[in-house]
Amino acid sequence: DDEDQYRIPLSNEIVLKGHSKVVSALAVDHSGSRVLSGSYDYSVRMYDFQGMNSKLQSFRQLEPFEGHQVRSLSWSPTSDRFLCVTGSAQAKIYDRDGLTLGEFVKGDMYIRDLKNTKGHITGLTCGEWHPKTKETVLTSSEDGSLRIWDVNDFKSQKQVIKPKLARPGRVPVTTCAWDREGKCIVGGVGDGSIQIWNLKPGWGSKPDIHVEKAHEDDITGLKFSSDGRILLSRSTDGTLKQLIFTGTSVEKYSTVGGLLCFYDRTKLELVSRVGISPTCSVVQCAWHSKLNQIFATSGDKSQGGTHILYDPTISERGALVCVARAPRKKSIDDFEAKPVIHNPHALPLFRDQPSRKRQREKALKDPIKSHKPELPVTGPGFGGRVGTSNGSLLTQYLLKQGGMIKETWMEEDPREAILKYADVASKDPKYIAPAYAATQPEPVFAKSDSEDEE
């Protein structure tokens, strides 16, 4: 009965899959026909309800900044362009079909005063398009500033806002938002404070409203109510401050999965709770007013998806359109020209030659084909040549037989051949000894001392 009272569409559910990691950003255009989902797998997927069938496949995939997670997505008021905020310092603008229109300039990280930099100097945290003006966007960054940009001029910014801090330094701005009329800006600061600036002539960085210690931890989400009277905030400290509905995270060692919790705005009492995933946290959620359908993103390190909750009786268009559109059944009369695919190795030019291993082994055994070198000379011969008659020439053979060529060196011992001249050399020296005979001193040998030896 409570769900009927609040018209919460919970009876049916579809999941837009495709991401390989958790889905961290979500944006549904104002007409409710296109959905953007950004993920920690660095990609953005685009879905079109009018063009999808029940397979629910995205029609385009983008990678805005290589190696940077997608953190925020926002449609322009006319839904002809969208803003993409990643972990890099530069936000990008795309048209409705996913073509890049430009990226904002990056600031100089060596300039200390952030007001003098041309753009953000560290990773962005959030961004949102102006709800009324189609040329203005807002971004927040880990460098501790909020900046307002003109999408027609990517080289310069319109305004730099530095939040009020208790002590000088750089505290990251974790999230930001416009109010419904675009007349004021809200920023969630890393010190747990919420600061609001009204856009009026001569306004600066001093906040009009400064709520200190609004949360005890990082503020992850800020939204104004449709009537502009209530500001909704969400933090990682586990608290809800005047929130209508929110997603929950999966705690470590917890048995409860990711949930969507709905609260009564005036009483702040839990009205309804629905489980989205048994193992994954709910990261982003949106309730589209025209479609009356609820979008919630979830995922982990291996997969991510966007869950859409709807009720055929109270929801309109959106998921109802594509779910009812089943994929076309194939007819027996269908004809599709199958292309001729040439296997590269089937062509003679690229074909592998047949194995010739056996032929190579046979050739190795043949001394002529393998060019086997001749064995060294081991038997009788002269000059390295061996003939049929112990010599290559007849003359050598005849001289050898007559005793004119003697090969005594082959049978002699070289040591004995040298020592037979030892006595002759000592008795009749010819060269070395006579040269030193006149100058050579008498050799003096040490005499043994018998006492020392004893």
Side-chain angles (χ1 to χ4, degrees), residues 13 248-250 255-260 274-282 296-300 303 305 307:
E13 178 185 12
T248 65
S249 302
V250 177
T255 57
V256 181
L259 307 172
L260 273 179
V274 57
I276 296 296
S277 173
T279 56
C280 303
S281 304
V282 176
T297 70
S298 67
D300 54 22
Q303 53 89 29
H307 297 250

Side-chain angles (χ1 to χ4, degrees), residues 42-54:
Y42 318 132
S43 69
V44 174
R45 285 186 176 267
M46 304 179 68
Y47 301 88
D48 190 339
F49 285 128
Q50 305 300 323
M52 280 194 302
N53 56 24
S54 57

Side-chain angles (χ1 to χ4, degrees), residues 360-431:
R360 287 197 301 269
E361 289 177 352
K362 191 175 180 181
L364 284 173
K365 292 177 182 178
D366 188 343
I368 297 174
K369 289 185 178 178
S370 63
H371 303 285
K372 186 178 180 181
E374 294 181 359
L375 295 172
V377 178
T378 55
F382 185 78
R385 297 191 177 192
V386 180
T388 56
S389 56
N390 296 333
S392 59
L393 299 175
L394 179 60
T395 310
Q396 292 177 353
Y397 175 72
L398 295 173
L399 289 172
K400 204 178 290 182
Q401 294 296 322
M404 298 179 70
I405 298 176
K406 293 182 180 180
E407 293 182 348
T408 56
W409 56 270
M410 292 183 70
E411 292 86 17
E412 258 187 323
D413 183 8
R415 184 174 179 276
E416 292 177 358
I418 294 171
L419 287 176
K420 70 182 180 181
Y421 298 104
D423 294 336
V424 180
S426 60
K427 291 176 183 177
D428 185 17
K430 286 187 178 181
Y431 301 108

